[in-house]
């Protein structure tokens, strides 16, 4: 009785273990015929198997004929068979000298089918479910897949989707799984309400978050989809915004979305508590490491007494201090900021404490979720690798880099203990998103050398073949222009953080003054980040330009001045030198601290380029250009943004040929508004053609503001501006010229900006208030706006 009791207890334990391995109730039966603690069988018989070979099943268990076994061996055999994931039930019985292993195999999935799905394609849904062709089928997995399909539809705003399933028996233990989908109507966001905000308007806060109110553009932008995870991310965006503008006590009290089932629309309400605005008090650095002098490190920190409190500046200071101390040989040094609030004068004093820190090393980096992106594309964004000292600052920097790649919807980095106490495993979880784009667009521009209507089509892939490479093919044109281009960029050339790429292009133009141009060229470029805000680019450029006078301007194949066309001698000289080959190298430098490139409110963007032509070819000149813009929020409450920008350029020819008219600067709306393209500067008095100039200066002051009444989700903003510019100093010697001296032009006007799905579009109406007699005025300007 005692032995039998023990055997039954063992059987119960095995049954419990099996129930934990697979879902559902599984019956495991054991029949004892002799001593339970040690038994011998002469053979192992397998039954119930249809696809799995009997010998394969015998190999999974440790019980062998002629060898003694116990209840623990039976327990191990059951676990081993369940552990294969191939069986839904296992029964082990000892009958006389035979051990009978009876199994029930999981059914095999032949096909996974989706029906009535239009908004999500089959491949997108197949990636969301766990059931796969040639995989095993279980009801629990099917139930989980139903929820996964519903979640996929919720992410595109279809919360009322209904998913039913059908399991079709095909015989031979095979099944087809069918998901029948009723997609339902798309939900919308009727309103986004902010409660408790006074420092910033609701319109300004709406610009910060990614969840947007539904508008007539939502069918293109798809930014009005309500999602709980997206709303949680919006909370973090609000926190960072307030923390970076002095509100250290800011809290999101609640953020909820309520669905009106009658209209199928959400109302999102975000309740905030702003708190007081703080400035920095005393800022200092303390070190517990004897060899590290905290006082000497104060020069690297970016927080200063009297400045508005900014959490990003605190983070940047931690990074700068960590790198400085690590460079001195203290790889495990830990920098901890300690803030001391003064509630009376609203200041926060910060002490950066440097300690030795706990020694820990990275045992390995484990990457999960990257079905398409190669592992090395993710690994190369880390400044640490296996075996290096663990550094939380460098890990967070890598996380930001991965997010900025725009390959992933979500990036999470966590740590788990390694095989040794001083080892950690870095776990990188990513959720990939689509990186390919196909676009067809149409536009209209009133200025430049492509004025008029135009169309363009392009195919872009930001993560080509999962290698992190950028490739774009585009073609377009208008009434008087044709453009074709191919661009490719490898962001990590030779395994280093150097962007290398090339551009190949061909463009044709038909000019109003009756001549055509055909330019074919290529550029090889290398970009190198110097700091987080400074980058440089070196490029080699080669192009061939061909110019021809229109046939309608020729008499017996010869151009006769004045009839039927009237073309400047300077232009004709340039045409006579065709084809013209330009071979040059250029060096560019960009400084960028803009807070949001799509909707800038603060920061500086400046760039300068030096180009030297003459490395072979016909062109011989040195050209330097520069432009800078400063954005500053003038009123937080009214979302009023000020912009001051300025630019300059100079080109100087060398050698015997001098400069062509086509090498000189031409005025544009980026130089001064209110004047036609090429409408100011030196002019041919006989034809009225503007010839361009060797030198220009320009400046602009602008105030940007939201438009009243119009919802912020439309992306419309207004502007008032004043421009000033001069273009002078032509070096074309083949024709007498007027207006070659420095003469100032000025204009004032109104602008309307639209952050459209096709790019930033801008309409300006400018009135010249200072001009010259020969200038060409164009008060209205419409086109694609490139701010930077």
């Amino acid at each position: 009785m005692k032995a039998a009791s023990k055997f039954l207890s063992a059987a119960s334990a095995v049954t419990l273990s099996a129930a934990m391995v697979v879902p559902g109730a599984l019956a495991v039966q054991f029949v004892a015929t002799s001593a339970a603690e040690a038994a011998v069988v002469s053979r192992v018989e397998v039954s119930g198997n249809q696809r799995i070979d009997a010998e394969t099943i015998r190999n999974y268990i440790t019980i062998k004929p002629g060898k003694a076994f116990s209840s623990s061996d039976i327990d191990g055999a059951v676990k081993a068979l369940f552990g294969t994931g191939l069986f839904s039930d296992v029964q082990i019985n000892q009958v006389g000298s035979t051990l009978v292993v009876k199994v029930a195999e999981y059914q095999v999935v032949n096909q996974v089918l989706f029906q009535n799905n239009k908004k999500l394609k089959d491949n997108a849904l197949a990636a969301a479910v766990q059931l796969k062709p040639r995989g095993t089928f279980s009801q629990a997995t099917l139930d989980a897949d139903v929820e996964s399909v519903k979640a996929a539809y919720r992410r595109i705003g279809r919360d009322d989707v209904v998913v039913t399933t059908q399991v079709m028996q095909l015989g031979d233990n095979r099944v087809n799984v069918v998901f029948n989908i009723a997609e339902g109507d798309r939900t919308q966001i009727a309103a986004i309400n902010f409660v408790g905000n006074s420092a910033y308007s609701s319109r300004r806060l709406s610009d910060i978050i990614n969840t947007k109110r539904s508008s007539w553009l939502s069918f293109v932008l798809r930014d009005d989809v309500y999602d709980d995870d997206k709303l949680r991310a919006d909370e973090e965006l609000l926190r960072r915004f307030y923390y970076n503008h002095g509100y250290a006590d800011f809290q999101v009290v609640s953020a909820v979305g309520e669905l009106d089932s009658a209209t199928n629309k959400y109302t999102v309400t975000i309740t905030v508590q702003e708190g007081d605005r703080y400035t920095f008090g005393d800022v200092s650095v303390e070190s517990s490491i004897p060899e590290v002098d905290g006082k000497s490190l104060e020069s690297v920190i970016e927080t200063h007494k009297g400045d508005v409190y900014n959490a990003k500046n605190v983070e940047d200071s931690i990074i700068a201090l960590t790198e400085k101390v690590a460079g001195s040989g203290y790889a495990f040094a830990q920098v901890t900021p300690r803030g001391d609030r003064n509630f009376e004068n609203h200041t926060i004093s910060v002490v950066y404490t440097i300690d030795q820190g706990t020694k820990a090393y990275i045992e390995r980096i484990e990457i999960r979720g990257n079905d398409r992106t190669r592992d090395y594309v993710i690994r190369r964004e880390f400044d640490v690798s296996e075996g290096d000292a663990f550094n939380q600052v460098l890990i967070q920097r890598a996380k930001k880099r991965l997010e900025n790649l725009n390959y992933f919807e979500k990036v999470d980095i966590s740590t788990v203990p390694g095989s040794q106490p001083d080892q950690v495993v870095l776990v990188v979880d990513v959720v990939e998103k689509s990186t390919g784009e196909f676009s067809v667009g149409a536009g209209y521009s009133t200025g430049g050398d492509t004025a008029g209507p135009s169309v363009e089509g392009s195919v872009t892939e930001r993560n080509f073949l999962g290698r992190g490479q950028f490739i774009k093919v585009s073609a377009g044109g208008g009434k008087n222009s044709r453009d074709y281009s191919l661009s490719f960029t490898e962001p990590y050339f030779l395994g280093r953080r150097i962007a290398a790429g090339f551009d190949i292009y061909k463009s044709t133009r038909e000019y109003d003054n009756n001549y055509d141009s055909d330019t074919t060229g290529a550029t090889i470029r290398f970009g190198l980040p110097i700091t987080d805000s400074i980058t440089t680019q070196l490029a080699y450029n080669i192009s061939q330009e061909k110019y021809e006078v229109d046939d309608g301007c020729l008499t017996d194949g010869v151009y006769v001045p004045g009839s039927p066309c009237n073309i400047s001698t300077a232009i004709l000289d340039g045409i006579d030198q065709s084809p013209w080959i330009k071979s040059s190298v250029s060096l560019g430098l960009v400084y960028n601290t803009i807070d949001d490139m799509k909707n800038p409110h603060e920061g500086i963007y400046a760039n300068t380029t030096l180009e030297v032509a003459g490395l072979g070819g016909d062109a011989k000149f040195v050209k330097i250009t520069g432009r800078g813009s400063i954005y500053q929020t003038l009123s937080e409450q009214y979302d009023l943004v000020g912009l001051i920008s300025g630019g300059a350029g100079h080109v100087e020819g060398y050698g015997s040929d001098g400069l062509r008219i086509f090498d000189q600067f031409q005025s544009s709306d980026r130089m001064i508004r209110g004047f036609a393209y090429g409408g100011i500067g030196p002019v041919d008095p006989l034809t009225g053609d503007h010839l361009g100039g060797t030198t220009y200066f320009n400046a602009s002051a602008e105030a940007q503001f939201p438009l009243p009444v119009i919802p912020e989700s439309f992306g419309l903003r207004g502007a008032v501006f004043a421009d000033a510019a001069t273009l002078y100093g032509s070096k074309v010697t083949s024709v007498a010229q007027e207006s070659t001296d420095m003469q100032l032009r000025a204009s004032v006007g109104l602008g309307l900006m639209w952050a459209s799905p096709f790019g930033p579009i801008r309409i300006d109406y400018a009135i010249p208030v200072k001009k010259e007699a020969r200038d060409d005025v164009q008060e209205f300007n419409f086109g694609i706006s490139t701010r930077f």
Side-chain angles (χ1 to χ4, degrees), residues 293-304:
D293 179 23
K295 192 72 176 177
S296 65
L297 296 173
E298 292 183 358
S299 60
V300 305
I301 60 179
E302 299 187 21
T303 52
H304 306 95

Side-chain angles (χ1 to χ4, degrees), residues 343 488 714:
F343 296 100
F488 176 84
F714 278 52

Side-chain angles (χ1 to χ4, degrees), residues 203 638-640 704-708 716-718:
R203 179 186 289 269
Y638 299 104
D639 193 14
L640 181 64
Q704 301 174 357
F705 49 86
L707 296 178
L716 288 170
R717 290 177 67 84

